[in-house]
């Protein structure tokens, strides 16, 4: 879709802006749509600015400590996975340990600073160790064991499906078949995802582009662009400060033409045009349709940004909603991180055998019940 750029000049702008409406529309719905789409674009811009500031503060204050903590957590989980194959654990202890590992690796994977391949390696180690335990144990697995393997395969493959019980039993008897299962899942997911996303994206882009092209070919909109190109040309400006401002505005105009962004074009003309003009009924109707499309797409982008799995938006979700100043939140979090790092180091040093693990399992059960 065309990029919607907020055509605001720098704070030092000395070029006067118009206070009267220069562009009229035969469709009375267009002014309201222009306002709504502009507000959505401004919200998106503000969200990006807020997230940038929070992320910058987060990285400066917590970045190294957070990443060090994650590596300690990975060491703890790897340490615990080694106990999954321990024959001295009774069934209930074993089930509790596997549940603990599934919960903690899932939580770890939600952290944006953990590399995906490192998370996958933990799932792979746990699944292989669990299958080895099942093979050595033999007999008929209970429902919880099958449920655990089902959950591990979903986590490892990323495929939200229910694996056949026969396949689960076969893997428990022959763990070497795990790689073949992973290969089959990866091939099926890639083929399905690629086809669906490409066909939908292509259809949306074609509809959007055709309408935007038609609008820019309209005589009056083309005239608006040419008039702005003349009014905003920096070479015609003798004042050096205003010349710099016009260079910014001229770049926004050029981007609007390149991206077929009618919204930015009209907003620039409203602010810096010099004559009134009215778009006919057909053009106004096309513009209304285009604005509705932009409004829907921008709203979707805004919602996707809110939940985006990126470091910047992760930090914004974590620290951007409290009444407590961000700087104070970061300092408090740093203290908690240092405390947790000490606890993880102590855990790995102290839990060296089944006896110590049993104590840790009991402590975790007590903590979860509180």
């Amino acid at each position: 879709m065309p990029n919607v750029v907020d055509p605001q000049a720098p704070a030092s702008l000395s070029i006067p802006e118009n206070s009267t409406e220069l562009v009229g529309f035969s469709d009375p719905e267009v002014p309201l749509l222009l306002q709504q789409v502009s507000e959505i674009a401004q919200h998106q811009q503000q969200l990006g600015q807020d997230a940038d500031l929070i992320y910058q503060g987060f990285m400066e204050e917590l970045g190294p400590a957070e990443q060090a903590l994650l590596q300690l957590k990975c060491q703890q989980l790897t340490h615990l996975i080694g106990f999954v194959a321990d024959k001295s654990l009774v069934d209930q202890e074993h089930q509790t340990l596997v549940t603990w590992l599934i919960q903690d690796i899932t939580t770890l994977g939600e952290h944006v600073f953990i590399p995906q391949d490192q998370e996958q390696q933990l799932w792979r180690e746990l699944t292989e160790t669990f299958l080895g335990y099942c093979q050595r144990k033999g007999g008929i697995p209970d429902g919880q064991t099958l449920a655990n393997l089902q959950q591990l395969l979903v986590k490892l493959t990323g495929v939200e499906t229910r694996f056949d019980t026969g396949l689960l039993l076969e893997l428990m008897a022959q763990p070497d078949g795990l790689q073949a299962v992973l290969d089959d899942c990866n091939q099926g997911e890639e083929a399905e995802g690629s086809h669906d996303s490409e066909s939908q994206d292509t259809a949306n882009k074609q509809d959007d582009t055709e309408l935007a092209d038609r609008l820019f070919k309209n005589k009056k909109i083309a005239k608006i662009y040419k008039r702005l190109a003349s009014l905003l040309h920096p070479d015609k400006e003798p004042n050096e400060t205003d010349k710099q401002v016009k260079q910014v505005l001229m770049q926004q105009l050029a981007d609007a033409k390149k991206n077929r962004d009618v919204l930015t074009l009209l907003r620039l003309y409203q602010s810096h045009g010099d004559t009134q003009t009215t778009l006919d009924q057909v053009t106004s109707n096309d513009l209304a349709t285009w604005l509705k499309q932009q409004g829907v797409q921008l709203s979707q982008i805004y919602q996707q940004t809110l939940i985006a799995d990126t470091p910047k938006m992760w930090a914004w979700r974590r620290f951007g909603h409290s009444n407590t100043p961000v700087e104070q939140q970061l300092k408090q979090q740093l203290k908690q991180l240092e405390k947790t790092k000490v606890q993880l180091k102590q855990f790995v040093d102290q839990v060296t055998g089944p006896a110590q693990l049993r104590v840790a399992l009991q402590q975790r059960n007590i903590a979860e019940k509180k």
Side-chain angles (χ1 to χ4, degrees), residues 179-241:
Q179 186 58 53
V181 173
L182 298 181
D183 292 341
D184 289 344
C185 289
N186 289 336
Q187 291 175 2
E189 186 179 20
E190 289 174 3
E192 181 178 354
S194 174
H195 175 75
D196 292 344
S197 60
E198 287 181 6
S199 59
Q200 185 62 44
D201 288 346
T202 300
N204 290 338
K205 288 178 180 179
Q206 285 179 344
D207 291 343
D208 193 18
T209 301
E210 289 175 2
L211 185 53
D213 285 343
R214 188 160 71 242
L215 284 168
F216 260 81
K217 291 176 181 178
N218 176 270
K219 291 182 179 180
K220 287 198 173 182
I221 291 180
K223 186 176 180 181
I224 286 174
Y225 170 80
K226 290 179 181 179
R227 185 56 184 160
L228 276 174
S230 176
L231 292 170
L232 300 178
H233 203 293
D235 292 346
K236 297 180 180 180
E237 181 57 59
N239 182 282
E240 186 60 32
T241 300

Side-chain angles (χ1 to χ4, degrees), residues 88-98 354 358 361-362:
S88 66
L89 297 179
V90 300
D91 287 346
Q92 185 58 48
E93 291 171 339
H94 188 269
Q95 297 290 359
T96 302
L97 175 59
V98 173
R358 289 188 179 94
L361 291 173
Q362 292 171 0

Side-chain angles (χ1 to χ4, degrees), residues 53-66:
L53 288 174
I54 291 174
Y55 180 64
Q56 181 180 355
F58 170 82
M59 289 303 297
E60 291 175 356
E61 190 74 29
L62 296 181
E66 191 89 27

Side-chain angles (χ1 to χ4, degrees), residues 102 133 179 271:
I102 290 175
Y133 162 81
Q179 186 58 53
S271 298

